Amino acid sequence: MAPAPRRDLLPKEHFAFAFGKLKTQNYHDPAARAPGSHTIRTLAWNPTGQLIAAGSVDRTLRIWNPERPNVRYSTDLRGHTAGVEKVVFNPVRDAELASCSTDGTVRFWDVRSKTCVSRLDIGGEPFTLSWSPDGSTIIAGRKDDILVPISVTSPSTPNILSNGISASPTPSKPNASTYTALEPHPQNVQTNATTFSHKISTPSSPDLHFFATTGDGTVKIISYPSFNIQHTLNAHTSACSAVALSPLGRYLAIGGSDALISLWDTTDWICRRTLSSENGGAIRNVSWSFDGRFICGAWDEPGCGGHGLEIFHAESGDSVYTVPTSGNINAGIPAVAWHPSRYWLAYSTTGDGPGSGLKIVGAAGGGL
């Protein structure tokens, strides 16, 4: 994978001034035929940040080039027959995307050839996905609280997209991955989001670990492939719905239905601080900036987007900037995603205004 360009790191004191000067780019999808019909529930950047995937409740799955916002430069991936709940790129194969839908399937896509390369019927209604850092495993979570591991066997050499979605098609079968759904693992408590640790499996230490948020306010640290629970964090007083590990692995961010984001030190599993936004409402997802200094969360309940998208400094817990959103009190912010190597922030909005849909702060004019 090509190394990400080095960026100057913004200190807390300069963040508001520098980030506040960035322009916001809008990405209009013609699939939005009526107000509220095209709510984007999930966003994901590919590893090099050249593409961003957006999945919607109306089953639209579109891949955008952030620097070319006209829809003719995007790719519409068709196949799901119900709303797209989660999209994730393979961390080591830049053109390989996974998506899940309440149609009961997990689909895998080659965004260069614009084709679905595999479809797995995993039963139930999958609504969450997480990909291990070595690209070997995906955990799919169903709404009936069953976790389904998926084995991904890829060629030894990562297949990296170099020039966005216009790159040449996948050459042939030998370079294709294979996907196998393994034995499902029912959970004894409501299970929401999952994410893997940054640890890479090695011959001397083959187990992976992932984090699973639950409806009883806890987060379980689970060993894979055994599914043994290694530790339980008593994180929130109500359901935990979102989880994200900082890029350097120092903090685990946990979002809850109590409208709080808690930051846990991964060395001793102590909660160092909590973040609270004026938006209120249950937190749907959280995202870290590439340097692990800044964090924000998505609140998708009506009325939660009217105050803007609040960005926090992780080390102090201070609110450092609020991105103006629609200003519509009925708007929500269902999804948010920081670029993997730049201070670009993608988010989606709902509501009846013409500005609803995908927006990226920083993409217009190059950004930071």
Side-chain angles (χ1 to χ4, degrees):
M1 181 178 301
R6 181 178 177 83
R7 302 287 170 189
D8 292 332
L9 303 183
L10 282 177
K12 170 190 170 185
E13 295 76 15
H14 299 160
F15 184 86
F17 175 76
F19 195 81
K21 294 194 299 182
L22 300 181
K23 296 180 180 180
T24 299
Q25 181 68 63
N26 296 312
Y27 300 78
H28 174 67
D29 195 325
R33 298 180 181 88
S37 68
H38 186 66
T39 297
I40 296 173
R41 293 184 61 85
T42 176
L43 295 170
W45 293 94
N46 72 340
T48 56
Q50 293 175 313
L51 303 174
I52 185 168
S56 308
V57 297
D58 63 359
R59 72 186 183 223
T60 301
L61 175 54
R62 189 172 295 278
I63 312 299
W64 294 91
N65 179 335
E67 298 188 43
R68 307 187 79 176
N70 193 298
V71 72
R72 70 174 179 268
Y73 299 114
S74 69
T75 299
D76 185 10
L77 300 178
R78 300 184 180 184
H80 283 301
T81 59
V84 178
E85 296 289 326
K86 187 73 174 180
V87 290
V88 286
F89 275 96
N90 188 329
V92 296
R93 289 173 64 82
D94 212 38
E96 190 173 359
L97 177 75
S99 61
C100 70
S101 165
T102 50
D103 62 11
T105 69
V106 175
R107 293 174 183 259
F108 296 88
W109 311 84
D110 184 332
V111 300
R112 297 169 309 169
S113 60
K114 308 175 185 180
T115 58
C116 178
V117 296
S118 184
R119 163 185 161 166
L120 297 179
D121 293 294
I122 66 168
E125 296 184 19
F127 73 105
T128 186
L129 295 172
S130 57
W131 213 317
S132 66
D134 60 1
S136 68
T137 305
I138 283 182
I139 298 293
R142 299 186 344 200
K143 290 185 178 180
D144 55 1
D145 304 320
I146 292 178
L147 298 179
V148 181
I150 298 171
S151 172
V152 182
T153 303
S154 301
S156 58
T157 303
N159 193 355
I160 301 305
L161 184 66
S162 58
N163 294 309
I165 57 177
S166 61
S168 58
T170 303
S172 60
K173 291 274 187 180
N175 202 34
S177 299
T178 58
Y179 313 89
T180 306
L182 305 178
E183 177 185 358
H185 288 259
Q187 304 299 295
N188 59 9
V189 64
Q190 176 187 327
T191 303
N192 299 316
T194 63
T195 193
F196 275 89
S197 76
H198 297 330
K199 174 182 175 291
I200 301 291
S201 175
T202 65
S204 61
S205 180
D207 283 359
L208 300 169
H209 293 87
F210 68 93
F211 307 93
T213 63
T214 72
D216 63 6
T218 63
V219 172
K220 299 184 183 302
I221 305 174
I222 301 174
S223 178
Y224 181 84
S226 67
F227 275 80
N228 293 329
I229 297 174
Q230 302 299 310
H231 191 59
T232 299
L233 304 177
N234 295 304
H236 288 249
T237 57
S238 60
C240 296
S241 51
V243 62
L245 190 62
S246 64
L248 299 180
R250 180 172 184 181
Y251 292 115
L252 183 72
I254 301 169
S257 60
D258 54 6
L260 298 175
I261 299 173
S262 57
L263 300 183
W264 294 74
D265 192 318
T266 59
T267 59
D268 52 19
W269 295 118
I270 292 176
C271 180
R272 296 301 179 190
R273 60 195 59 88
T274 58
L275 313 175
S276 177
S277 170
E278 291 184 10
N279 287 315
I283 296 169
R284 177 170 172 78
N285 79 288
V286 291
S287 182
W288 291 90
S289 62
F290 71 94
D291 55 3
R293 295 174 179 226
F294 305 101
I295 186 171
C296 59
W299 293 259
D300 66 349
E301 296 178 11
C304 291
H307 299 289
L309 180 58
E310 200 163 1
I311 299 173
F312 297 90
H313 181 245
E315 204 58 50
S316 66
D318 294 337
S319 175
V320 293
Y321 187 74
T322 299
V323 178
T325 54
S326 66
N328 183 349
I329 194 61
N330 294 317
I333 304 172
V336 62
W338 282 99
H339 188 279
S341 62
R342 308 187 69 159
Y343 291 112
W344 290 7
L345 182 61
Y347 66 96
S348 63
T349 57
T350 62
D352 298 335
S356 62
L358 172 63
K359 303 171 185 294
I360 303 178
V361 182
L368 299 173

